[in-house]
Amino acid sequence: MAVQTVASSTDSTVDLGPATALSCRECGHRVPLGPVFACEECFGPLEIAYDFSAYDAEELRKQIEAGPSNIWRYAPLLPVPADVATKPNINPGWTKLVKADNLARELGVTGGLYVKDDSGNPTHSFKDRVVAQALEAARVFGFTTLSCSSTGNLAGAVGAAAARAGFRSCVFIPHDLEQGKVVMAAVYGGDLVGIEGNYDDVNRFCSELIGDPAGEGWGFVNVNLRPYYAEGSKTLAYEICEQLGWRLPDQIVVPIASGSQLTKIDKGLQELIKLGLVEDKPYKIFGAQAEGCSPVSTAFKAGHDVVRPQKPNTIAKSLAIGNPADGPYVLDIARRTGGAVEDVTDEQVVDAIKLLARTEGIFAETAGGVTVGVTRKLIENGVLDPARSTVVLNTGDGLKTLDAVAGTGLTATIRPSLDSFREAGLA
């Protein structure tokens, strides 16, 4: 059966490919596809429901492999029109899966260690995936302004995607973000607004703006477009498995900000299993946080099902969300898969950034330092099995968080002579 025969949306005016409805993650109530994010029955989060029943695994695999070298190779599994690849977008994805043998030796991993390096995206973070997906929903729903609340990377991704697609952009960030991220968000020419407070204050303001006439025609990628935006994270799971030869990894270590990335990676893995694209086998998902903002890790270690908000205080600002929306779902997934949620100190984050750079030539931002640091800690504590295949996510470029490694510099300063070179002990 041809892949293209999959059912369309329940609303005939909305073309989002295989997406059929929005479904509440808590009570299962369904509503037509639209720019809404909360269930009208129980206020639970909405997510995309699909009809994949027409797909044949072998034919679908061939279609994917023949597709473009970006996330649109997975268009048959995403809420996008069939012609998505022809529209102006930043086309992220298909980033490197690096076999990290040097890092594996350093950490004592024998089962195969890989770094999924998403710093290779257009604005050098994984946020390009989710924004590209949200942009297509914004087109369908007729929005003219693209917006977001952001800890930095998302602001840059929205600015770039909006510029490419001809949208206006207006994004909101905490006023004290790293300067590199501020510049990268501002350079695309959209409006960049600093809010006095932390990310949770910014997000709360954006939720208020949506309900105000001033926000009419605005698509907030991580608020009213959140169900579509979040699906972009599934493409990380798809790529990892395809790059492993259509195999599930045994273990994945994922950074936690809102928790959405981790939950959608799990969703992507489950979809691949149900579609018959990968062999069903157990896998474990581990969440990684910085100690200065570790509400999910704290809840996991205490055996709690409720995540209590924290006030962030960490150099890992891209993960500094003190009240993570998907926190409870992260706990469920970590426990269901036999994984865990762990945290590391800021000093351990910096050490891990340098370790990854020294061993694999990958300069990670602080979020990548968190995942590498947590991976090392999980191995040392006997929680993560070094004999099993493991994928660690690096979600951004270290050039965005230079302040974290600001003490790193010259080995020596010498005169332009061989004698000076030898005196410095470099010969």
Side-chain angles (χ1 to χ4, degrees), residues 144-155:
T144 56
T145 297
L146 211 60
S147 186
C148 70
S149 53
S150 174
T151 57
N153 284 328
L154 182 58

Side-chain angles (χ1 to χ4, degrees), residues 242-255:
E242 184 179 355
Q243 290 170 327
L244 287 174
W246 294 108
R247 291 186 297 110
L248 292 169
D250 295 320
Q251 303 169 132
I252 305 180
V253 186
V254 183

